[in-house]
Amino acid sequence: MSSTTALRSLNINNINPHVVEAKYAVRGELAVRSEEYRAKLAKGDTSLPFDKVISANIGNPQQLDQKPITFFRQVLSLLEYPPLLEHEDVLLNQLGYKADVVERARWLLKTVGSVGAYSASAGAPGIKESVAKFIERRDGFPADPKDIYLSAGASSGVNTLLHIICASPNTGVLVPIPQYPLYTASLAVLDAKCVPYYLDESKGWGTDLEAIKGAHKKAVSEGIDVRSIVIINPGNPTGASLSAEDVKAVIDFAAQEKLVVMADEVYQTNVFKGKFHSFKGVLREMQKADPEKYKYVELASLHSVSKGMVGECGHRGGYFELCGFDPEVQEQIYKFVSISLCAPVIGQCLVEMMVNPPQEGSPSYELYKQEWDGIFAGLQKRATALYEAFKEMEGVECDDPQGSMYLFPTIKLSPKAIEAAKKEGRSPDEFYAFRLLDATGVCVVAGSGFGQKEDTLHFRTTFLAPGTEWVGRITKFHSEFMEEFR
């Protein structure tokens, strides 16, 4: 019983139990402790065995020194303070702004009016048109702006879609394991059923259709109304990019079982190995080949400014596109997003720039391409350095870096370490992650926070932090940890 029960209206025993039940490991106890350490260091505390906290627990690029794209930030500065446009000569001749920056800012201000004003509920019409043109260029098939909803990052879009899909406590959603815990946490809050299906680690964390079919069949046999399947492509936490055949197999199964496909595609530009295949593009090809069979497939595809080389997490910009949804259902989706009025307008403007960046021949293109390519190369270099370090660590196995912003290595711990974890009331991978943080200041996320097969242990780390010194901290800690618990 909470000690505040008799003193206040709210206590831990009478608030929404589904919120209490929800778990979100990415910002859980480990992350809280890392922020406590960061605060201590900021105050000059020298008692810790490290002088810097590395937040490798979350895909937050600019916190880890990824530099913003100059074109994006210059346009934003003009959107936030339009009177600067009255001094175009100063912008161009003294401050290093290019003519296309000024032109884009003027166009966006004409489109949205003011970034301090609400837009239409589903987003500014002109920006939705830019998104539609981007999707058409990417996939080779038309997109309709009326099917596009601008959102406060992809997470807001996920929240909207799950609220619409989850009609009762018996509604089930197929979710990949391991998965980004947004999905399990949101389903817990909605009091709906997570139906887990396991990715195949032996095949680079690919989608295993038989695992999906088995999970679906089991859930249906238990009376669960399975309505949707979530696919994260490229994967989080695994980084895997699905082949076109894998995407086709999922769509085919969704058509057969009448499942809404939720395609989380926020890492679509973070691909080191293989190629990104959008669900929209593959679906349209399948509909072209067999219009009747795939006519009513419902697909919601999500994208965001938070990841990729853009990395503008704090500006909260994203979108989702609907394909094949009943018009009456779309009306209800519009009503739902209207309750929150609109996505942040400055985030909407960043979405427009993400989908419509400087093109070859434009004044800002050379610098834009240099910055984009530099960020991509840096991510790939750090991912490779981390992977090479993991290969040398006792009891650690890791797939080649494939994409997204993460590695998800398997760790094998001794019975002695597992017993020590039990004494602390933690899972073995959590125990390892806490010891790593306490010794090095490097914060990762235990694999149990994403889900994992029984009797396996993992952790997820980003490769966003600059340099490789922190990688050396991990290898040194691991060697000492393995020796201590041998």
Side-chain angles (χ1 to χ4, degrees):
M1 180 73 67
S2 169
S3 61
T4 65
T5 300
L7 305 176
R8 298 184 176 93
S9 170
L10 294 179
N11 63 72
I12 196 67
N13 304 302
N14 70 9
I15 61 172
N16 186 334
H18 308 306
V19 174
V20 177
E21 181 191 341
K23 292 178 175 60
Y24 190 68
V26 172
R27 287 184 182 260
E29 189 186 349
L30 264 165
V32 170
R33 186 180 294 186
S34 76
E35 290 307 319
E36 289 170 356
Y37 286 156
R38 195 189 305 277
K40 279 186 176 183
L41 292 170
K43 289 176 182 174
D45 191 320
T46 57
S47 65
L48 298 171
F50 47 86
D51 58 8
K52 186 178 182 182
V53 171
I54 301 289
S55 298
N57 59 307
I58 191 165
N60 193 10
Q62 292 185 24
Q63 184 193 45
L64 294 167
D65 294 338
Q66 180 171 308
K67 299 294 180 260
I69 300 285
T70 299
F71 177 83
F72 295 171
R73 286 302 183 90
Q74 287 183 334
V75 172
L76 290 187
S77 71
L78 302 178
L79 298 179
E80 290 283 12
Y81 193 61
L84 290 172
L85 289 165
E86 296 166 16
H87 306 282
E88 190 171 330
D89 58 329
V90 176
L91 293 171
L92 298 178
N93 299 320
Q94 296 180 38
L95 297 178
Y97 285 54
K98 304 291 187 186
D100 54 347
V101 170
V102 173
E103 182 185 347
R104 182 68 62 90
R106 290 191 191 283
W107 181 84
L108 282 166
L109 285 168
K110 185 179 175 184
T111 300
V112 303
S114 167
V115 294
Y118 293 133
S119 73
S121 297
I127 295 176
K128 294 193 341 167
E129 285 175 18
S130 287
V131 174
K133 287 174 186 171
F134 158 75
I135 294 168
E136 184 168 347
R137 286 194 305 273
R138 185 193 67 190
D139 297 335
F141 294 93
D144 191 331
K146 75 175 175 53
D147 296 325
I148 292 163
Y149 295 74
L150 301 180
S151 57
S155 300
S156 173
V158 169
N159 183 57
T160 294
L161 293 163
L162 290 179
H163 267 86
I164 296 299
I165 291 166
C166 298
S168 78
N170 200 44
T171 301
V173 176
L174 284 154
V175 175
I177 301 296
Q179 53 91 40
Y180 177 47
L182 165 68
Y183 293 95
T184 44
S186 298
L187 289 168
V189 170
L190 290 166
D191 192 25
K193 300 283 192 305
C194 172
V195 179
Y197 67 90
Y198 286 96
L199 302 177
D200 190 344
E201 186 169 7
S202 69
K203 295 178 181 174
W205 296 109
T207 299
D208 181 349
L209 186 61
E210 291 309 309
I212 293 173
K213 286 179 176 178
H216 179 267
K217 184 178 179 180
K218 180 175 182 290
V220 170
S221 73
E222 292 168 355
I224 296 172
D225 175 20
V226 184
R227 291 189 170 187
S228 180
I229 180 168
V230 172
I231 304 286
I232 307 174
N233 179 42
N236 176 6
T238 65
S241 293
L242 298 186
S243 68
E245 290 308 311
D246 280 347
V247 175
K248 283 179 187 174
V250 171
I251 292 172
D252 194 59
F253 182 69
Q256 179 186 317
E257 300 296 341
K258 293 187 172 62
L259 299 175
V260 177
V261 179
M262 286 179 63
D264 182 335
E265 298 177 334
V266 302
Y267 294 100
Q268 59 188 260
T269 58
N270 289 95
V271 178
F272 304 143
K273 189 176 173 184
K275 181 185 172 186
F276 169 71
H277 299 278
S278 79
F279 269 76
K280 166 81 178 289
V282 174
L283 172 62
R284 290 294 188 243
E285 290 285 359
M286 294 170 77
Q287 288 173 328
K288 191 175 171 184
D290 194 338
E292 282 307 307
K293 184 174 181 181
Y294 302 109
K295 185 176 182 179
Y296 294 109
V297 171
E298 294 151 285
L299 168 67
S301 305
L302 301 111
H303 195 14
S304 167
V305 302
S306 297
K307 310 303 178 186
M309 275 38 77
V310 182
E312 293 280 4
C313 307
H315 276 112
R316 310 310 298 133
Y319 73 81
F320 61 92
E321 182 194 19
L322 303 178
C323 299
F325 277 64
D326 185 299
E328 289 185 341
V329 173
Q330 282 203 220
E331 284 177 18
Q332 298 307 307
I333 292 172
Y334 182 86
K335 179 175 74 179
F336 185 87
V337 299
S338 299
I339 294 169
S340 300
L341 299 173
C342 69
V345 175
I346 203 77
Q348 294 185 39
C349 293
L350 263 168
V351 169
E352 200 283 331
M353 289 184 274
M354 175 183 74
V355 301
N356 183 25
Q359 298 301 305
E360 193 167 359
S362 66
S364 293
Y365 177 75
E366 190 176 331
L367 178 59
Y368 168 79
K369 186 165 191 325
Q370 179 187 324
E371 290 174 335
W372 181 280
D373 291 349
I375 293 167
F376 185 90
L379 288 171
Q380 191 165 25
K381 181 181 178 183
R382 291 194 296 278
T384 302
L386 200 52
Y387 166 69
E388 292 297 335
F390 287 155
K391 279 204 306 186
E392 299 303 315
M393 285 162 57
E394 179 187 352
V396 176
E397 294 174 11
C398 187
D399 285 321
D400 291 356
Q402 298 183 66
S404 74
M405 296 177 171
Y406 315 103
L407 293 179
F408 196 65
T410 299
I411 51 172
K412 293 184 176 136
L413 301 182
S414 68
K416 189 176 175 183
I418 292 168
E419 188 57 37
K422 278 182 190 171
K423 285 178 182 172
E424 286 194 13
R426 299 193 185 283
S427 65
D429 49 0
E430 278 182 322
F431 176 72
Y432 178 90
F434 271 102
R435 290 288 293 261
L436 172 65
L437 173 63
D438 293 342
T440 68
V442 177
C443 184
V444 299
V445 188
S448 49
F450 300 94
Q452 54 196 353
K453 283 187 176 175
E454 198 172 343
D455 298 325
T456 67
L457 301 171
H458 304 79
F459 65 86
R460 187 193 79 168
T461 176
T462 72
F463 40 78
L464 292 167
T468 55
E469 176 273 333
W470 62 281
V471 178
R473 288 196 230 171
I474 295 175
T475 53
K476 180 176 182 290
F477 158 80
H478 183 81
S479 174
E480 291 169 355
F481 179 93
M482 297 301 277
E483 198 58 46
E484 180 183 350
F485 293 101
R486 195 165 301 284

